[in-house]
Amino acid sequence: METVKLKELIDQMTVAEKVGQLVQLTPDFFAQGGEITGPMQQWQMSEDQLFTIGSVLGTHTAEQVYAIQTSYLEKSRLKIPLVFMADVIHGYETIFPIPLALASSFDAQLVEEVAKASAKEAAEAGVHVTFSPMADHVKDARWGRVLESNGEDPTLSSVLTAAYVRGYQGTASLAENKQRIAACVKHFIGYGAAEGGRDYHTVDLSDLELYQNYLPAFQAAIEAGAQLVMTSFNTIHGVPATANQPLLQEVLRQKLGFDGLIISDWAAVAELMAHRVAADRKEAAKKAFTAGVEMDMMSDCYLNALEQIIHAEPEMNEQLNKAVFHVLSLKNKLGLFEDPFRGLVQGNLAPKLVQETRHLSREAAKKTTVLLKNQALLPLQKKQKVALIGPKAASKDLLGAWSWIGKPEAAVSLAEGLSQKEIDLTVLSYPDGEMLMSTFIDEACKVVKEAEVVLLALGETSEEAGEAASLTKLSLSRKQEALIEAVSQVNPRIATILFCGRPLVLTAIEPLCQAIMIAWFPGSEGGNALADLLMGESEPQGRLAMSFPRAEGQLPMTYAQLSTGRPLTEENNDQKYISRYMDEKNEPLFSFGSGMGYGRCTITHTQIINPQEKDAPFEISCTLKNEGDVPHTTTLQLYSRDDVTEVARPMRELKQWQKIHLAAGEERQHTFYVTPEDFAYVHSDFSTKSDPGTISLYLGFAAASAKLIGTLTI
Ligand code: NOJ
């Protein structure tokens, strides 16, 4: 439909119909085809109102979407199709590794393919928009939603956020390409900085921090074409983000140039009353709407109060029309006016799962698993006697908290994956909490006596990581730690496989393990992928996108710390008035970027070459050699430090990275190209520019261990 037609449509709408377009409800409102159901009664909603609403979130099947859209189009006056949205976070029915794991692939192409495959399954189930990617900057693993993030580095996060958007939406028209869906980037803004890592809690950020670290991934998503932005639950700069006019207007609309639809998070408009910045629903609606929130997700504030507000203040009509225009434009871009069912055909609505998507899930799990320690215990050898023990050994709880459509029973457990391999396998599993610890440990100790390698499959349950899953303790449960302690007394050849949604505190168990592999929540093909990796048929390729702390007390933490006036050095570590902990090291146990494969790479012949011509890039090159006797894929990481800056800047920042594959013994040169713009940063006047001066450069395989290779002058 042409834009002018959309405007004509708006002209035909009553204020009540316009307000309806700004409301998003769950499918249960339509459960009885529009009769007054429980939720409608609760909100004192009429049937007429129901058939004005603009959007539905969280449908489960194509049949459901088809039925709701059909009845809506029959009963609504203007027959503007509903737009269906859902949380498709890391897969729809076929589940991929969690986003924090995908970030650990450092692989934008993989992320794009995963998003594309997720979009296809979701679109076939009638979903038009996904509430993904989550672009929140994170540095506190107590916050359960780090699971959905791209980790602690804003550059990596920006690259991957854009890749998600490209994967979901494609680059062609969404109206023509019905296997793609629109992306809603979230949560604007600061949600990841909740005080104490407690979900939904207060956030207070300096503007500099906001601009430098929190906005870039949103900017990347918007530049990649994200159609929607979701506001966050938290307070920021003293005002809840959902009512924060300066942030939504001056920052999101003007500075970032976002011209799509702004939607609240679930019930966040009504929660303005709980924040005590609104006395009642009417005030909540007015504050959120004036701030710039256009669609009210699952609250009755707009539905029941906005019409009255507009009638009382007709000057708000312009803003109302603009908001409705954003909703209709989205529907138009999705092609809904021409085809409200977006390709769904009655009689052919069953899910069409394909083997390639399962295959991609398996490949993704291999590229996201992080091997953090290996004292020559892995890979396993054929025919080896292997004991696989622990609550996760045969568990199908591999999908993570955001896999509401994916079926755990369709996931492949580690025991199932390993049973396909040529090893002598004994499995001892238990659902966490269901067997007496002492009985289980006794049995485990008997089993491991005979084993050549012990695989301990441990970690979190999907309820322990994700939304509303904040923790103050990040170590394994006492029961799991006791298991490692007891087993290590009998057989020290332990490889621990950890399933988790966040960095854990492994300080107590690390010395008891000869190998540690972070499997995250690996998705539907987790067990097969891990079995391939454990057998050495593939190599673990993940590198941590978020540091693993030594202790919860170090949090929040990021490798990209600012300098302090009193840095801890080798020379002053016996002094008191130094920036340090008295009871713990400053560094994480495993820093950002850490991870290994089965090969071993060295870096030599590093060189920094100044540009020969004006505007040409600097060349930073080195020789990489795989010293091992198996093929190896490594992730070479380039970090920089701007030596003297106008505002304090990190001691190390990731600038570029490259995944490089080397055959056994192979030697290869790699060159990074950088320009002065790569060293631009946000100044105190909020301009982004680089300063003349020297930049120190570090090359390596993790943030903490990358080595200084020299400086360049810009
Ligand atoms: C609440 C979550 O914060 C948000 O990420 C999600 O998209 C919505 N619920 C919708 O389910």
Side-chain angles (χ1 to χ4, degrees):
M1 193 185 276
E2 292 157 34
T3 308
V4 47
K5 291 250 167 65
L6 292 181
K7 296 211 162 129
E8 283 167 21
L9 186 54
I10 295 175
D11 289 341
Q12 291 174 41
M13 295 168 82
T14 63
V15 173
E17 282 168 334
K18 290 179 188 175
V19 167
Q21 284 299 313
L22 308 185
V23 176
Q24 182 175 65
L25 301 176
T26 48
D28 48 339
F29 282 79
F30 290 90
Q32 264 105 54
E35 276 172 48
I36 308 296
T37 57
M40 286 169 70
Q41 231 158 33
Q42 211 184 331
W43 285 1
Q44 298 171 346
M45 194 176 161
S46 68
E47 197 184 314
D48 279 354
Q49 269 181 315
L50 182 64
F51 292 103
T52 62
I53 71 145
S55 177
V56 172
L57 84 155
T59 48
H60 282 71
T61 60
E63 279 91 355
Q64 196 184 12
V65 169
Y66 201 93
I68 293 175
Q69 191 74 293
T70 306
S71 105
Y72 183 90
L73 292 175
E74 268 166 30
K75 297 193 181 158
S76 82
R77 186 178 78 93
L78 290 169
K79 310 203 179 311
I80 299 170
L82 290 162
V83 54
F84 290 86
M85 308 195 191
D87 290 285
V88 183
I89 309 296
H90 51 112
Y92 188 71
E93 184 157 349
T94 307
I95 301 298
F96 296 97
I98 55 169
L100 185 58
L102 287 168
S104 300
S105 72
F106 279 62
D107 187 341
Q109 199 188 329
L110 174 72
V111 166
E112 190 171 331
E113 279 171 36
V114 163
K116 181 178 171 193
S118 311
K120 180 174 176 293
E121 278 188 9
E124 285 168 0
V127 175
H128 306 150
V129 174
T130 174
F131 298 128
S132 171
M134 187 179 103
D136 292 313
H137 179 55
V138 295
K139 43 185 184 176
D140 194 334
R142 292 172 298 180
W143 192 52
R145 300 197 80 169
V146 300
L147 171 148
E148 297 168 55
S149 78
N150 291 315
E152 74 193 51
D153 183 77
T155 304
L156 177 64
S157 181
S158 301
V159 168
L160 299 184
T161 303
Y164 275 106
V165 174
R166 285 195 305 274
Y168 290 132
Q169 298 191 167
T171 42
S173 127
L174 279 166
E176 274 148 43
N177 203 338
K178 293 185 177 146
Q179 298 207 323
R180 304 286 185 143
I181 57 180
C184 172
V185 61
K186 65 191 188 185
H187 306 85
F188 196 84
I189 186 106
Y191 187 31
E195 283 180 3
R198 173 150 62 85
D199 207 357
Y200 318 124
H201 200 23
T202 309
V203 170
D204 202 2
L205 284 180
S206 73
D207 273 333
L208 209 54
E209 179 69 358
L210 179 74
Y211 276 75
Q212 188 65 55
N213 292 323
Y214 286 76
L215 293 180
F218 284 87
Q219 177 144 35
I222 291 164
E223 282 166 10
Q227 295 292 330
L228 296 89
V229 171
M230 186 189 295
T231 63
S232 54
F233 287 124
N234 55 280
T235 291
I236 175 164
H237 295 169
V239 178
T242 299
N244 201 314
Q245 188 165 21
L247 286 174
L248 296 184
Q249 297 304 328
E250 285 150 40
V251 177
L252 179 58
R253 287 289 190 211
Q254 284 159 35
K255 171 125 180 92
L256 303 191
F258 179 62
D259 191 30
L261 179 64
I262 303 181
I263 184 169
S264 77
D265 202 340
W266 180 290
V269 178
E271 286 173 16
L272 296 178
M273 295 182 286
H275 279 289
R276 293 184 297 102
V277 299
D280 52 26
R281 296 187 134 61
K282 191 168 162 198
E283 196 178 3
K286 186 164 175 194
K287 283 206 164 169
F289 186 70
T290 326
V293 172
E294 297 172 315
M295 187 170 271
D296 179 358
M297 181 199 292
M298 269 311 279
S299 100
D300 62 343
C301 295
Y302 284 15
L303 188 78
N304 287 331
L306 200 52
E307 188 183 354
Q308 226 186 330
I309 296 170
I310 305 281
H311 283 312
E313 297 180 52
E315 64 279 9
M316 286 173 72
N317 253 308
E318 196 186 325
Q319 200 189 337
L320 179 66
N321 289 345
K322 202 163 168 200
V324 175
F325 180 75
H326 282 143
V327 177
L328 299 189
S329 290
L330 173 67
K331 293 180 176 182
N332 195 32
K333 284 187 189 154
L334 287 160
L336 292 174
F337 288 104
E338 287 75 25
D339 176 5
F341 299 98
R342 233 179 150 246
L344 301 186
V345 179
Q346 205 174 16
N348 185 20
L349 296 172
K352 295 159 202 69
L353 301 181
V354 293
Q355 207 45 43
E356 293 87 73
T357 316
R358 289 290 291 209
H359 179 73
L360 179 61
S361 177
R362 184 167 178 162
E363 287 310 299
K366 291 195 260 188
K367 289 183 174 163
T368 54
T369 297
V370 187
L371 182 61
L372 285 176
K373 179 175 181 181
N374 186 16
Q375 295 174 331
L377 191 63
L378 297 177
L380 302 172
Q381 306 301 312
K382 280 192 180 152
K383 309 238 164 26
Q384 234 170 5
K385 250 178 123 39
V386 177
L388 169 62
I389 293 176
K392 293 283 183 176
S395 169
K396 300 234 175 195
D397 181 18
L398 306 177
L399 305 185
W402 264 130
S403 49
W404 52 296
I405 299 288
K407 298 180 187 68
E409 60 276 17
V412 180
S413 72
L414 182 52
E416 286 168 336
L418 279 173
S419 68
Q420 306 296 313
K421 304 295 183 190
E422 225 183 294
I423 48 172
D424 180 357
L425 181 70
T426 310
V427 181
L428 186 62
S429 182
Y430 69 101
D432 207 5
E434 277 186 19
M435 197 192 252
L436 263 182
M437 180 164 74
S438 50
T439 320
F440 182 76
I441 290 180
D442 287 351
E443 266 188 63
C445 289
K446 269 185 230 148
V447 169
V448 302
K449 241 184 220 148
E450 307 300 319
E452 289 168 88
V453 179
V454 181
L455 299 178
L456 291 183
L458 308 172
E460 299 185 294
T461 63
S462 47
E463 286 79 41
E464 287 166 337
E467 186 175 347
S470 299
L471 288 174
T472 61
K473 296 179 197 69
L474 301 180
S475 46
L476 292 175
S477 68
R478 184 59 211 125
K479 194 166 168 176
Q480 296 191 20
E481 286 195 350
L483 176 65
I484 303 190
E485 285 157 15
V487 166
S488 68
Q489 301 289 314
V490 184
N491 188 339
R493 288 174 60 80
I494 296 176
T496 294
I497 320 298
L498 283 169
F499 296 82
C500 53
R502 52 155 63 84
L504 297 172
V505 170
L506 305 178
T507 316
I509 66 147
E510 184 270 330
L512 306 180
C513 306
Q514 291 186 6
I516 298 179
M517 193 181 254
I518 308 298
W520 311 107
F521 285 100
S524 306
E525 282 288 320
N528 279 335
L530 288 164
D532 293 345
L533 295 174
L534 288 166
M535 293 307 296
E537 291 162 19
S538 300
E539 193 189 26
Q541 286 189 25
R543 302 293 184 261
L544 292 182
M546 200 172 175
S547 307
F548 274 44
R550 284 175 191 275
E552 296 83 353
Q554 294 177 310
L555 298 172
M557 87 173 341
T558 158
Y559 79 91
Q561 301 169 32
L562 303 187
S563 298
T564 148
R566 301 197 172 182
L568 177 66
T569 63
E570 273 176 25
E571 292 73 46
N572 70 13
N573 67 8
D574 55 345
Q575 293 172 25
K576 181 160 171 64
Y577 297 100
I578 298 297
S579 179
R580 67 188 305 176
Y581 296 105
M582 292 175 71
D583 60 349
E584 189 47 277
K585 292 185 178 168
N586 285 359
E587 297 78 37
L589 187 61
F590 297 106
S591 88
F592 176 87
S594 300
M596 54 176 89
Y598 295 135
R600 199 169 56 80
C601 227
T602 51
I603 298 175
T604 53
H605 303 98
T606 58
Q607 255 190 310
I608 302 171
I609 306 169
N610 288 327
Q612 300 304 305
E613 289 162 33
K614 194 173 166 288
D615 296 333
F618 291 87
E619 292 179 22
I620 301 155
S621 68
C622 69
T623 303
L624 280 173
K625 183 165 188 211
N626 177 4
E627 309 275 359
D629 50 13
V630 288
H632 180 42
T633 300
T634 190
T635 304
L636 181 64
Q637 301 159 38
L638 172 69
Y639 295 85
S640 70
R641 184 189 77 166
D642 192 334
D643 293 328
V644 181
T645 48
E646 191 237 0
V647 293
R649 299 285 306 139
M651 290 190 276
R652 265 171 207 210
E653 289 178 84
L654 182 66
K655 280 295 143 191
Q656 290 185 23
W657 61 94
Q658 183 67 44
K659 288 185 88 154
I660 297 166
H661 182 77
L662 296 159
E666 188 184 343
E667 206 169 25
R668 175 120 48 90
Q669 204 195 17
H670 181 74
T671 306
F672 291 108
Y673 298 90
V674 296
T675 64
E677 287 76 65
D678 290 314
F679 305 104
Y681 65 90
V682 181
H683 286 61
S684 54
D685 63 358
F686 301 108
S687 63
T688 302
K689 58 189 177 204
S690 54
D691 305 327
T694 59
I695 308 277
S696 298
L697 297 170
Y698 306 82
L699 263 187
F701 304 113
S705 56
K707 298 249 169 351
L708 181 67
I709 58 158
T711 61
L712 56 79
T713 305
I714 56 172

